[in-house]
Amino acid sequence: MPALTRVLGAATAAYSVTIIAAPKVLAKPCGLTTPAGDVTEEVRTLIGGIGARDAAIGLAMMFAAPGRPLQVALAARVASDTADALVFGNGLPDRSARRKVAIFAVAWAALCAASALVP
């Protein structure tokens, strides 16, 4: 588990820092930009919170001690992605964005869960 899980943690942390710095990276595929393509302060705040949560989980996946601590970090990642799939998959204003974001979140959750099975 550790090698792939730690790589996925690094990818999670890097993407999370990216969306905090540039919320449009997440807002655009979610259909949460304005007609002009901008990100409102409310959406920026939401994405910042998601990014901070995911950065913390990604760092935990990278640096947690093997065994139970790493399993807990990985479980947090899978649970967060599953919740994102449910919330965004049902709540985004654009139907095609709902489907696309939900599929991506479920795929990432599955990949992270599968990493527990890889030595």
Side-chain angles (χ1 to χ4, degrees):
M1 166 171 35
L4 180 56
T5 299
R6 295 194 193 284
V7 169
L8 294 172
T12 295
Y15 180 74
S16 300
V17 169
T18 299
I19 66 170
I20 290 169
K24 192 174 193 177
V25 170
L26 180 58
K28 188 173 180 180
C30 289
L32 295 176
T33 55
T34 66
D38 297 321
V39 179
T40 65
E41 284 303 312
E42 295 84 2
V43 171
R44 183 178 301 277
T45 299
L46 172 69
I47 290 173
I50 292 167
R53 174 200 73 186
D54 289 351
I57 294 170
L59 291 171
M61 289 169 64
M62 290 172 62
F63 297 114
R68 188 79 172 142
L70 186 54
Q71 292 169 348
V72 170
L74 185 56
R77 173 78 270 135
V78 172
S80 294
D81 287 327
T82 302
D84 289 348
L86 291 170
V87 171
F88 290 109
N90 289 305
L92 290 176
D94 179 80
R95 183 182 174 133
S96 67
R98 286 194 304 259
R99 186 174 190 276
K100 177 175 43 177
V101 172
I103 288 170
F104 183 83
V106 166
W108 194 255
L111 180 60
C112 288
S115 78
L117 306 174
V118 177

